[in-house]
Amino acid sequence: MKKQLFAVIACLAAGVMISSCNKNDKQQESQPNPVSSDVLAQIKANGFSTDNVQKTEDGYLVEGDILLTEQQLREKVGTPTLRVANDEQYRTNNLVSALPRVITIKVTNLGTAFIAGTDTAIARYNRLGLRITFQRITTGTPNITIQGFNQGPSGGYITLGSSGFPTSTGNPYGTIKMNTNQYAYGSNPNVLYVGSVIQHEIGHCIGMRHTDYMNRAYSCGGTAVNEGDGGVGAVYIPGTPTGPDANSWMLACSNGGNRTFNANDIIALNYLYH
């Protein structure tokens, strides 16, 4: 999940000393690692947007918060189901299976705000009464690990967190990364804000696509970008709206504050996991 820089830290609103509120202030932005034309071609062949791709230690970050590994890029693209529409709810072809199921989550090497934010996100999911529930653990091997990374702004945006999609064997994606850079959450992170981002990334881990995947500009601004099916599917979830849904927890970019499930999000989750 991303957020426009000027909205995240507008003139000390997040308590971080900055010299400018201009999102185009290049002195405040870190330069992303270069991505080769061959890799961009692989990303495009897999159906993902090549706009603002960032190289990370684990692979390539695309569409703001989706991590693609080198192995995933080398895999042959299948023929996933695609529903072309506007701003409805979408899921990937693969979902978490073996229900009912408890998914364990461990937070590693992150501060108290991220632990409390994780507990907030877990409580919100568990209140829905789904056949998929979550539990934070402190020992043992978890299904999902939440860990930190530190990356500054790029192109006027800051990456708040990243994750991926369920495996073909029915397991949730195993890693959520949360940005510890001061421009992401400030020096004193708001628990509800952090929790809403973790809630969004958990959504990806269990198979949710961005609500506005057909046009990321709806929540991110800028030029219209269609994420495509990405080789993982973009399957319409029946019962969800056929028009824009301004408050969905799975919009591509954050609104800079606390965002949780709206009524249509709950319809989507109940359809998949109730």
Side-chain angles (χ1 to χ4, degrees), residues 63-218:
E63 299 174 5
D65 66 343
I66 303 301
L67 180 66
L68 296 177
T69 65
E70 298 276 3
Q71 180 178 350
Q72 287 174 317
L73 287 178
R74 289 193 298 267
E75 291 176 353
K76 183 178 180 181
V77 179
T79 56
T81 303
L82 175 64
R83 301 288 190 268
V84 179
N86 189 13
D87 290 279
E88 302 156 329
Q89 292 280 3
Y90 295 90
R91 66 170 178 86
T92 54
N93 291 330
N94 296 330
L95 295 173
V96 175
S97 60
L99 306 178
R101 183 171 181 179
V102 176
I103 293 177
T104 55
I105 299 176
K106 182 188 289 186
V107 182
T108 61
N109 300 318
L110 287 170
T112 56
F114 291 91
I115 295 172
T118 299
D119 290 341
T120 296
I122 286 174
R124 289 174 174 178
Y125 276 100
N126 289 349
R127 279 197 294 268
L128 299 181
L130 306 174
R131 291 194 298 155
I132 184 172
T133 56
F134 300 89
Q135 178 184 354
R136 183 171 65 84
I137 62 174
T138 56
T139 60
T141 302
N143 300 119
I144 299 173
T145 298
I146 300 179
Q147 60 193 55
F149 72 103
N150 191 319
Q151 182 181 74
S154 175
Y157 290 84
I158 184 79
T159 298
L160 300 174
S162 66
S163 57
F165 299 121
T167 67
S168 59
T169 57
N171 291 316
Y173 188 78
T175 304
I176 292 173
K177 289 195 170 184
M178 297 293 289
N179 198 350
T180 58
N181 189 275
Q182 63 177 354
Y183 289 101
Y185 301 102
S187 59
N188 184 27
N190 179 281
V191 169
L192 293 180
Y193 183 25
V194 171
S196 69
V197 175
I198 293 173
Q199 184 178 347
H200 176 100
E201 300 305 336
I202 290 174
H204 284 314
C205 291
I206 63 173
M208 299 299 301
R209 292 293 303 265
H210 289 143
T211 308
D212 54 346
Y213 94 97
M214 288 297 297
N215 182 9
R216 288 172 57 85
Y218 180 73

Side-chain angles (χ1 to χ4, degrees), residues 11-32:
C11 291
L12 308 184
V16 181
M17 184 63 68
I18 57 175
S19 60
S20 172
C21 287
N22 187 346
K23 71 174 182 178
N24 294 317
D25 182 0
K26 299 303 180 184
Q27 292 182 344
Q28 294 297 324
E29 296 180 4
S30 62
Q31 298 301 315

